[in-house]
Amino acid sequence: MALLDHLNPEQLAAVTLPPERHALVLAGAGSGKTRVLTLRMAWLLQQGYVGPAGILAVTFTNKAAREMLARMTALLPLTPRGMWIGTFHGLCNRMLRAHHRTANLPATFQILDMADQLSAIKRVLKAHQIDDEKYPAKQVQHFVNKAKEDGLRPHQVEAPDSFQRRLAEIAELYQAQCEREGVVDFAELLLRSYELLRDHTSVREHYQRRFRHILVDEFQDTNRLQYLWLCLLAGGGASVFAVGDDDQSIYAFRGARVGNMADFERDFHETARIRLEQNYRSHGHILDAANALIEHNQGRMGKNLWTDRGEGEPVRVYEAPTDSAEAQWVLGEIESLIQEGWSRREIAILYRSNAQSRVLEHALFRAGIPYKVYGGLRFFERQEVKHALAYLRLMENPHDDTAFLRVVNFPTRGIGARTLENLVDAARLAGSSLYAAVPHVPGKGGSNLAQFVALIERMRFETQSLPLPELVDHMLDHSGLRAHYEKEKDGSDRLENLNELIPAATVFVDEGPTPELDADGEVLNADALPALAAFLSHAALEAGDNQASEGDDAIQLMTIHASKGLEFQAVFLTGVEEGLFPHENSLLDEAGLEEERRLMYVAITRARERLYISFAQARMLHGQTRYSIRSRFLEELPEGSLKWLSPRTRSFDEGAALRAAAWADSDWSGAASRLGQARASQPTNPLAAQGIQVGEQHFKVGQNVQHDRFGEGVILALQGSGQQAQAQIRFAAAGTKTLALGVAKLVTLDI
DNA sequence: GTGTCCCTCCTCGGC
DNA sequence: GGAGGGACAC
């Protein structure tokens, strides 16, 4: 069958697994994961095991969902009509829209993004006079989301102390506010959908009967709640086909639970485990480096990537004195790659944290090399666009207080803090939304408020029968947003973004799929909603592209997280330093370190032909110079696959032996966790340039020291503080070593 | 009520 | 270094 041509035996086994069986496919980086997933669906359909309406395929990103859909339609001559392919959030939204009454939600419920959620929480804290220093909004937000991601309501969360109990109370208050305002946050979409299925037998059975095949992409990134949701849907005997890679699990910080993979094999009987280990992407040295690195993690499901593409070139490693020197070096290498005829868009520069991009951008900019930075603000997250959306949300649901507060005085219309305080009081007294409480506010402020309400009402009335794009246009004029940005200097970009909303609405209307009904005539897709409500869901769930457009031949800059799932001919992995990568905040426990290592694994496996790894001795961070030593991850790469481009003061073997000695000497792993504590109690990290005081001694970069075994040396770098401080020291005879200053016996020498 | 200055804080980030 | 929020002056 043409569909199955060119598959390797493992891929073939996965695609053609008997339809009644569950599968856990361990798909290594570059092993053809998406291909297997889409072919499995196509094969099931083609063999007649299931119709399109019987398939549910779930991904994490809209991009992945789109790609899957595109590949499917290219494979089979059928419209994807009736198939549920989408993100967890998108599918849950769809389900909740269809059953909003059963789920106890208003038909026009709005979705809060992370920023909306944070401001909603700040309002809760204010309304209940809660000390926001003791209970910072960010921490409450984390508590709220963590609980939901675990499938729990606040009162179900274990609260060992009064602080936790109070957090849970605040979470309840926040939830009550959301209910009152008819809004749901991202995690609530999932939890509500889960509860809908759990508590309503008829709804559950309906979907269990319908979906006979459930396919899950990036299974290692699922959280507890997503897993429970899948279990409910599959509870009627559906087959689950889960594809994932435990070595690429890099989202524990947002609730992902690799343990779901093991649970899956336990909970779903007769699960076939299939490993895809042939890598079609990277050359041998690059794969060897990745394999050797990930070997250092414990408790893996086990997997070894191999390739028949040959060993290729070694991984190039470079040590720079400073971050700007590192950027200059990257620039130089890129210029010669371009001269050799490499395409710019096939070259990526990766980094651990966004703050690192600036110095790289600066170098590229000055050299006139086109580049694109991924990440950052997306279209629907821009301030002016969010203002516009807030007006639209108010027109759709006037009781949305978050939207109300965002624009009630924007553009300014004489409604100040005092007036709003009165309004908030009135609303609390009446137990109503701010919008509904406006008539209860006396005085001049009250009349200004009344004018605002009249404005919203007028906009609603006048746009009733307008098509969506014209409605948006009307709102931009009558809200005063357009006029405001027209007269603001430097407002032209913002104005442009506002106007961009009109074509966005046009595209949205044109692309809207036709409504889908189930056997009982119930509407099954959100798009049967009024166009405006659907457009607002779309804006919340798909914040827009921040990707470089295909045609642009530009160097690609992004964080390692953002690079997952992508591949490039050449990859520069920068800032590979202790404290930065692994990030110091991840060193508190072994799990954190292992996640950083998986992140490094992801970074390495992005490269097809060339991989460059670099680090700097000194770096500007938070406006201060920081000195650090190279990452332990470098020591975990096989020497035979590396080629050092900068002079090294010692051979690898020597270094490894010394490092082992340093570990034994200094109890480094313990020091790392104490370092975290020291940092918390002592927020200003002593500037290494000014030196570090350890006991009676004062150490500075550039200072000469004497060690009784290693002899005379000079301090190259310092990090940490107090007894936990470490120094990188170059010894005249013994090479460069990293020593714990609190442990190593060092004598400082004059000059 | 509005505009400006200073102080604080700081991973990673999709939906 | 730079964004966002609170305190304070117009």
Side-chain angles (χ1 to χ4, degrees):
Chain A
M1 185 187 335
L3 208 57
L4 304 177
D5 286 352
H6 310 302
L7 289 180
N8 68 36
E10 293 75 29
Q11 291 174 329
L12 185 67
V15 170
T16 61
L17 189 78
E20 67 280 1
R21 296 205 56 191
H22 303 301
L24 178 62
V25 181
L26 299 178
S31 65
K33 176 194 69 154
T34 310
R35 191 153 170 246
V36 164
L37 208 48
T38 41
L39 279 174
R40 171 69 174 175
M41 279 192 275
W43 183 80
L44 287 168
L45 289 166
Q46 199 191 42
Q47 297 291 306
Y49 289 122
V50 67
I55 287 186
L56 176 83
V58 57
T59 63
F60 276 87
T61 64
N62 290 295
K63 196 175 154 212
R66 273 197 300 270
E67 185 176 342
M68 206 180 287
L69 202 58
R71 289 210 202 180
M72 278 288 304
T73 44
L75 285 171
L76 289 179
L78 57 85
T79 60
R81 193 188 202 125
M83 245 188 271
W84 276 37
I85 299 184
T87 63
F88 278 100
H89 294 85
L91 297 177
C92 287
N93 177 50
R94 193 167 173 177
M95 201 180 274
L96 290 175
R97 297 280 173 196
H99 305 278
H100 67 87
R101 260 183 239 99
T102 322
N104 197 21
L105 284 169
T108 57
F109 73 83
Q110 303 291 324
I111 301 166
L112 302 183
D113 66 18
M114 294 287 277
D116 295 332
Q117 185 188 37
L118 193 65
S119 69
I121 288 172
K122 285 179 182 165
R123 277 192 294 117
V124 172
L125 296 177
K126 207 171 222 167
H128 297 87
Q129 286 129 39
I130 296 163
D131 181 0
D132 63 353
E133 294 207 344
K134 192 162 177 210
Y135 300 96
K138 276 252 167 72
Q139 193 173 350
V140 175
Q141 184 179 35
H142 182 258
F143 180 91
V144 165
N145 291 333
K146 178 80 174 62
K148 291 186 182 185
E149 281 157 5
D150 287 340
L152 303 173
R153 290 297 172 186
H155 66 269
Q156 298 172 299
V157 177
E158 256 183 69
D161 52 47
S162 61
F163 182 76
Q164 290 284 318
R165 274 194 294 280
R166 185 74 179 128
L167 271 181
E169 281 170 24
I170 300 170
E172 296 277 13
L173 293 171
Y174 161 75
Q175 194 56 40
Q177 179 182 284
C178 288
E179 303 292 330
R180 209 163 47 240
E181 296 173 9
V183 296
V184 299
D185 55 49
F186 284 135
E188 183 72 16
L189 280 175
L190 281 149
L191 185 52
R192 262 311 162 93
S193 169
Y194 167 71
E195 290 171 344
L196 172 74
L197 293 168
R198 185 193 62 193
D199 301 339
H200 299 275
T201 312
S202 64
V203 179
R204 180 174 66 247
E205 287 178 348
H206 166 82
Y207 286 105
Q208 286 179 340
R209 269 197 305 275
R210 172 175 173 159
F211 298 123
R212 304 313 299 161
H213 285 274
I214 298 176
L215 299 97
V216 193
D217 188 22
E218 306 276 14
F219 189 67
Q220 78 284 350
D221 287 338
T222 51
N223 62 36
R224 187 78 205 148
L225 177 57
Q226 285 157 342
Y227 183 71
L228 295 172
W229 185 81
L230 287 167
C231 288
L232 271 188
L233 278 174
S239 303
V240 180
F241 191 87
V243 180
D245 180 1
D246 54 324
D247 291 333
Q248 292 189 69
S249 162
I250 55 174
Y251 287 110
F253 71 89
R254 64 180 198 216
R257 226 180 132 263
V258 204
N260 285 348
M261 297 180 86
D263 289 359
F264 178 70
E265 289 189 319
R266 190 196 60 207
D267 297 343
F268 290 76
H269 302 295
E270 303 283 309
T271 298
R273 189 196 269 199
I274 298 168
R275 284 191 171 77
L276 306 180
E277 296 178 300
Q278 182 172 2
N279 174 292
Y280 294 94
R281 182 185 293 157
S282 308
H283 285 164
H285 278 311
I286 295 171
L287 275 191
D288 289 347
N291 282 332
L293 176 90
I294 203 69
E295 273 289 306
H296 288 80
N297 273 5
Q298 307 294 315
R300 299 170 55 222
M301 300 198 107
K303 196 164 29 54
N304 222 31
L305 294 181
W306 61 276
T307 179
D308 58 12
R309 295 191 60 189
E311 67 177 16
E313 298 176 45
V315 177
R316 293 157 162 83
V317 182
Y318 183 78
E319 172 172 16
T322 65
D323 51 354
S324 42
E326 181 189 38
Q328 278 307 312
W329 170 76
V330 169
L331 177 66
E333 292 291 329
I334 284 178
E335 281 175 330
S336 55
L337 286 178
I338 292 173
Q339 273 203 332
E340 286 172 35
W342 291 54
S343 155
R344 283 191 286 265
R345 82 171 76 86
E346 277 295 339
I347 302 173
I349 309 180
L350 307 185
Y351 34 80
R352 175 67 179 85
S353 63
N354 278 310
Q356 289 166 250
S357 75
R358 230 177 43 84
V359 60
L360 294 161
E361 284 184 62
H362 186 68
L364 290 167
F365 182 80
R366 287 207 338 190
I369 296 179
Y371 65 91
K372 269 266 157 68
V373 185
Y374 288 61
L377 263 198
R378 291 131 51 115
F379 180 69
F380 284 112
E381 292 168 352
R382 293 175 185 282
Q383 182 210 91
E384 62 278 14
V385 175
K386 291 211 72 164
H387 281 133
L389 290 176
Y391 276 103
L392 296 176
R393 272 163 63 165
L394 276 184
M395 291 162 70
E396 187 65 25
N397 169 15
H399 306 298
D400 183 341
D401 287 355
T402 302
F404 184 96
L405 286 171
R406 181 175 259 279
V407 290
V408 64
N409 198 33
F410 192 97
T412 51
R413 39 177 81 89
I415 299 172
R418 199 57 208 267
T419 305
L420 287 178
E421 243 170 68
N422 292 340
L423 177 64
V424 168
D425 287 345
R428 195 164 34 219
L429 218 62
S432 73
S433 67
L434 297 174
Y435 195 87
V438 163
H440 305 306
V441 177
K444 180 140 185 313
S447 78
N448 285 344
L449 280 171
Q451 278 177 36
F452 176 68
V453 165
L455 169 70
I456 300 293
E457 294 293 333
R458 200 161 58 240
M459 284 176 16
R460 266 168 90 154
F461 178 73
E462 288 169 356
T463 58
Q464 256 172 4
S465 53
L466 289 183
L468 187 59
E470 288 172 40
L471 183 155
V472 171
D473 189 38
H474 181 279
M475 176 277 299
L476 290 177
D477 273 335
H478 292 252
S479 64
L481 283 178
R482 199 175 253 153
H484 175 266
Y485 286 115
E486 265 164 8
K487 68 171 188 276
E488 188 183 82
K489 59 177 188 309
D490 304 327
S492 62
D493 282 352
R494 303 212 142 148
L495 196 60
E496 219 171 278
N497 287 329
L498 282 184
N499 288 327
E500 195 57 35
L501 272 170
I502 298 169
T506 310
V507 170
F508 180 77
V509 173
D510 290 350
E511 282 185 357
T514 47
E516 184 201 345
L517 305 179
D518 75 359
D520 314 320
E522 174 127 41
V523 178
L524 283 181
N525 57 353
D527 314 286
L529 281 172
L532 178 53
F535 182 61
L536 289 171
S537 299
H538 164 80
L541 290 173
E542 191 160 358
D545 256 350
N546 52 21
Q547 317 270 312
S549 44
E550 290 283 319
D552 286 355
D553 191 19
I555 307 291
Q556 320 270 314
L557 273 71
M558 68 192 84
T559 64
I560 302 170
H561 281 92
S563 76
K564 187 162 166 223
L566 304 176
E567 59 175 68
F568 308 93
Q569 207 173 348
V571 167
F572 288 83
L573 177 53
T574 64
V576 183
E577 295 139 33
E578 282 293 308
L580 197 60
F581 193 22
H583 197 278
E584 58 196 358
N585 295 358
S586 302
L587 290 177
L588 296 175
D589 54 53
E590 193 59 26
L593 178 63
E594 294 212 341
E595 177 145 321
E596 294 285 306
R597 192 177 280 113
R598 290 192 292 270
L599 197 51
M600 177 87 177
Y601 177 79
V602 167
I604 292 173
T605 53
R606 296 311 98 197
R608 285 206 297 269
E609 294 174 27
R610 264 201 211 184
L611 174 62
Y612 298 80
I613 299 178
S614 60
F615 57 98
Q617 294 169 356
R619 175 177 303 278
M620 279 294 272
L621 214 62
H622 309 322
Q624 290 188 332
T625 307
R626 252 180 82 120
Y627 298 85
S628 32
I629 56 176
R630 70 182 187 221
S631 171
R632 67 190 73 185
F633 295 151
L634 265 170
E635 316 298 329
E636 297 174 0
L637 304 182
E639 184 195 3
S641 295
L642 304 184
K643 177 180 171 191
W644 282 76
L645 300 182
S646 50
R648 287 182 81 205
T649 48
R650 62 173 194 241
S651 77
F652 182 84
D653 282 338
E654 212 183 328
L658 286 167
R659 182 162 294 265
W663 268 81
D665 262 10
S666 65
D667 184 19
W668 189 336
S669 48
S673 62
R674 287 195 300 277
L675 186 61
Q677 292 157 12
R679 213 166 278 271
S681 58
Q682 192 186 348
T684 44
N685 196 16
L687 248 182
Q690 294 158 6
I692 296 180
Q693 191 74 29
V694 181
E696 313 246 324
Q697 294 196 87
H698 188 77
F699 296 97
K700 273 169 72 172
V701 171
Q703 186 168 36
N704 290 342
V705 292
Q706 171 89 35
H707 186 276
D708 35 15
R709 211 161 91 230
F710 302 133
E712 221 175 281
V714 58
I715 298 180
L716 298 180
L718 291 165
Q719 68 168 16
S721 62
Q723 290 300 308
Q724 281 74 48
Q726 298 160 5
Q728 188 181 39
I729 302 171
R730 180 160 57 224
F731 290 99
T736 304
K737 301 169 192 311
T738 303
L739 300 176
L741 292 173
V743 177
K745 291 174 189 63
L746 284 171
V747 180
T748 50
L749 303 173
D750 293 334
I751 308 306

